[in-house]
Amino acid sequence: MPGQSAPALAVAFGWQSVLDSAGPQAARIEDLWWVYFWVCAAVFVLVFLALVMAVFRGRRGKGDPTDPGAPHPPASERRLTRTVAGATAATAVILIGLLVATVAASRATSSLPGDPLTIELTGQQWWWQVRYEDPTPSRMVTTANEIHIPVGRPVRVKTRSTDVIHSFWVPNLHGKRDLIPGRPSEILIQADRPGVFRGQCAEFCGYQHANMALLVVAEPPETFAAWYEAQLQPARPPSDALQQRGKVVFEALPCPLCHTIAGTQASGKTAPDLTHLASRRMLAAGTLPNTRGHLGGWILDPQTIKPGNKMPAVSLGSDDLRALLAYLESLR
Ligand code: CUA
């Protein structure tokens, strides 16, 4: 769904939801969520009923209404003690039961059978660098803010951060994993059905924390393999005069100091790799749909769209901008 923003309703029904699990670990977490929901709902109803009963019994005015401190008759006292002791025991049993269910779910989600694909995910203010590991260095893929995974295969996501604490969270696939500078970690995810699942940085990491999203695109293994092969290729050379001019514009601007376009002079490492920019669905870490208009707006005025991010505004004439957009849109 290139060029499509997340409709508000989709947020509630699956696009980024714990209650629409798409993998084995998320399914365990969803089950646990429902256990908590029903247990807590039952406790709430019982406590509320007890409260209502207490109010109405008190109104009936047993004992001496002028003396609230008067002792209860012995039989009533025994019944009260039994009730309080029973409620205390039930509370303990419920809490221990929830603890056991939580520990069991946590253990079940920490491993996955099968040969995992390994991805190194680096959180930065405020975007995600994605690097697919491979024993052959020339077969490693680097991209940003969009993770493609094959359905049915476990994926080991090695998480790291180079600045502040971030947190990787794709609720349809798993729980959260914090990215702590100097403390690499990893999490195993797996999708059991194709789909596009939105993830969100879940740890406040500065001004644009809320605009630090990513997409996980789960696709059939053949589709994933084709995507991977395409990502391994260097950038397409410009195919017409306009794109050629766009490439010249790109290289004359400060862009190559931060961005890489494989196969060109641009080899900056501090910003997202743009080699296959046009193949991605969103811009600026899930902030904008990847359309020509948004891309143009982003290049001209990134500080209004995402204040505080590290991309400076550039001033461009309309012909240069048109050429630059034609070139960037050709980077499929
Ligand atoms: Cu990164 Cu919040």
Side-chain angles (χ1 to χ4, degrees):
M1 29 182 261
Q4 207 175 317
S5 64
L9 273 178
V11 175
F13 298 104
W15 166 256
Q16 179 183 314
S17 173
V18 175
L19 301 182
D20 183 23
S21 57
Q25 287 117 324
R28 277 305 295 255
I29 294 170
E30 187 181 347
D31 289 346
L32 184 66
W33 192 93
W34 283 109
V35 167
Y36 268 76
F37 176 80
W38 289 116
V39 169
C40 294
V43 168
F44 175 80
V45 169
L46 290 175
V47 168
F48 197 77
L49 285 177
L51 183 70
V52 171
M53 276 167 61
V55 167
F56 280 96
R57 287 209 173 169
R59 284 245 183 99
R60 268 189 254 149
K62 283 183 183 162
D64 179 359
T66 59
D67 179 11
H72 292 272
S76 159
E77 185 74 40
R78 275 197 301 278
R79 207 179 58 235
L80 271 176
T81 307
R82 274 202 307 274
T83 308
V84 170
T88 307
T91 305
V93 167
I94 289 170
L95 288 177
I96 290 169
L98 290 178
L99 178 68
V100 169
T102 306
V103 171
S106 167
R107 288 192 159 204
T109 54
S110 64
S111 63
L112 270 178
D115 168 38
L117 177 77
T118 303
I119 294 173
E120 185 188 76
L121 181 73
T122 307
Q124 305 182 40
Q125 286 173 317
W126 292 277
W127 62 283
W128 309 85
Q129 186 187 63
V130 184
R131 229 163 56 111
Y132 290 75
E133 293 192 349
D134 193 282
T136 312
S138 63
R139 290 198 54 84
M140 304 215 315
V141 159
T142 302
T143 181
N145 304 322
E146 189 173 298
I147 302 177
H148 286 240
I149 62 172
V151 166
R153 183 175 172 193
V155 179
R156 177 186 292 127
V157 182
K158 291 160 76 175
T159 55
R160 53 192 285 270
S161 166
T162 52
D163 43 32
V164 299
I165 302 177
H166 304 275
S167 184
F168 171 63
W169 186 37
V170 186
N172 300 72
L173 298 176
H174 208 317
K176 297 171 185 172
R177 177 56 47 107
D178 280 2
L179 282 62
I180 301 172
R183 296 281 303 271
S185 181
E186 58 179 53
I187 184 170
L188 278 164
I189 59 172
Q190 180 176 316
D192 287 339
R193 59 178 159 90
V196 179
F197 308 110
R198 189 176 189 276
Q200 167 69 44
C201 180
E203 180 73 42
F204 181 72
C205 55
Y207 199 8
Q208 291 300 329
H209 156 67
N211 285 324
M212 184 168 167
L214 79 168
L215 295 180
V216 175
V217 182
E219 46 202 7
E222 320 77 64
T223 316
F224 170 76
W227 173 86
Y228 199 87
E229 288 305 316
Q231 296 288 314
L232 278 174
Q233 304 305 313
R236 293 183 183 194
S239 62
D240 60 30
L242 188 64
Q243 292 177 13
Q244 180 60 44
R245 177 174 171 178
K247 182 166 183 280
V248 171
V249 169
F250 183 88
E251 287 174 348
L253 288 167
C255 316
L257 299 175
C258 300
H259 294 283
T260 288
I261 298 181
T264 75
Q265 294 168 10
S267 57
K269 297 287 181 222
T270 55
D273 187 300
L274 302 180
T275 309
H276 299 284
L277 171 69
S279 72
R280 303 205 281 263
R281 288 158 172 75
M282 304 290 283
L283 297 170
T287 307
L288 301 168
N290 190 0
T291 62
R292 166 169 283 231
H294 285 297
L295 183 57
W298 175 246
I299 291 168
L300 292 178
D301 196 6
Q303 292 302 321
T304 297
I305 294 168
K306 197 167 167 176
N309 89 84
K310 295 198 175 76
M311 174 139 154
V314 294
S315 68
L316 274 179
S318 59
D319 288 346
D320 282 349
L321 178 63
R322 206 160 35 241
L324 178 59
L325 290 173
Y327 175 55
L328 293 176
E329 287 195 313
S330 75
L331 300 177
R332 298 210 59 86

mmCIF file of all heavy atoms in Angstrom, residues 166 201 203-205 209 212, ligand 1:
data_model
loop_
_atom_site.group_PDB
_atom_site.id
_atom_site.type_symbol
_atom_site.label_atom_id
_atom_site.label_comp_id
_atom_site.label_asym_id
_atom_site.label_seq_id
_atom_site.Cartn_x
_atom_site.Cartn_y
_atom_site.Cartn_z
ATOM 1 N N HIS A 166 15.914 3.725 23.168
ATOM 2 C CA HIS A 166 14.704 3.584 22.366
ATOM 3 C C HIS A 166 14.075 2.241 22.732
ATOM 4 O O HIS A 166 14.633 1.482 23.527
ATOM 5 C CB HIS A 166 15.040 3.598 20.866
ATOM 6 C CG HIS A 166 15.789 4.807 20.415
ATOM 7 N ND1 HIS A 166 15.176 5.980 20.056
ATOM 8 C CD2 HIS A 166 17.120 5.031 20.264
ATOM 9 C CE1 HIS A 166 16.091 6.874 19.699
ATOM 10 N NE2 HIS A 166 17.279 6.327 19.819
ATOM 11 N N CYS A 201 8.494 3.270 18.292
ATOM 12 C CA CYS A 201 9.434 3.386 19.402
ATOM 13 C C CYS A 201 8.599 3.560 20.666
ATOM 14 O O CYS A 201 7.684 4.378 20.713
ATOM 15 C CB CYS A 201 10.353 4.586 19.216
ATOM 16 S SG CYS A 201 11.527 4.775 20.576
ATOM 17 N N GLU A 203 9.820 4.018 23.900
ATOM 18 C CA GLU A 203 10.547 4.590 25.037
ATOM 19 C C GLU A 203 10.815 6.042 24.684
ATOM 20 O O GLU A 203 11.387 6.321 23.624
ATOM 21 C CB GLU A 203 11.862 3.831 25.230
ATOM 22 C CG GLU A 203 12.705 4.326 26.372
ATOM 23 C CD GLU A 203 12.128 3.954 27.730
ATOM 24 O OE1 GLU A 203 11.653 2.809 27.881
ATOM 25 O OE2 GLU A 203 12.130 4.816 28.619
ATOM 26 N N PHE A 204 10.414 6.952 25.549
ATOM 27 C CA PHE A 204 10.574 8.370 25.197
ATOM 28 C C PHE A 204 12.041 8.678 24.918
ATOM 29 O O PHE A 204 12.896 8.451 25.764
ATOM 30 C CB PHE A 204 10.039 9.280 26.300
ATOM 31 C CG PHE A 204 10.185 10.724 25.947
ATOM 32 C CD1 PHE A 204 9.376 11.278 24.972
ATOM 33 C CD2 PHE A 204 11.153 11.515 26.536
ATOM 34 C CE1 PHE A 204 9.523 12.607 24.606
ATOM 35 C CE2 PHE A 204 11.306 12.844 26.177
ATOM 36 C CZ PHE A 204 10.486 13.393 25.208
ATOM 37 N N CYS A 205 12.309 9.198 23.712
ATOM 38 C CA CYS A 205 13.698 9.358 23.285
ATOM 39 C C CYS A 205 13.948 10.764 22.755
ATOM 40 O O CYS A 205 14.884 10.989 22.005
ATOM 41 C CB CYS A 205 14.028 8.318 22.218
ATOM 42 S SG CYS A 205 12.907 8.352 20.809
ATOM 43 N N HIS A 209 10.045 11.509 19.438
ATOM 44 C CA HIS A 209 9.787 10.115 19.827
ATOM 45 C C HIS A 209 8.523 9.562 19.154
ATOM 46 O O HIS A 209 8.494 8.441 18.660
ATOM 47 C CB HIS A 209 9.670 10.054 21.354
ATOM 48 C CG HIS A 209 8.895 8.910 21.871
ATOM 49 N ND1 HIS A 209 9.330 7.605 21.756
ATOM 50 C CD2 HIS A 209 7.692 8.844 22.498
ATOM 51 C CE1 HIS A 209 8.427 6.799 22.306
ATOM 52 N NE2 HIS A 209 7.430 7.522 22.747
ATOM 53 N N MET A 212 8.739 8.176 15.519
ATOM 54 C CA MET A 212 9.797 7.200 15.293
ATOM 55 C C MET A 212 9.112 5.838 15.133
ATOM 56 O O MET A 212 9.082 5.026 16.047
ATOM 57 C CB MET A 212 10.786 7.204 16.457
ATOM 58 C CG MET A 212 11.965 6.275 16.225
ATOM 59 S SD MET A 212 13.280 6.551 17.421
ATOM 60 C CE MET A 212 14.254 5.081 17.116
HETATM 61 CU CU1 CUA B 1 13.101 6.354 19.879
HETATM 62 CU CU2 CUA B 1 11.249 6.940 21.292
#
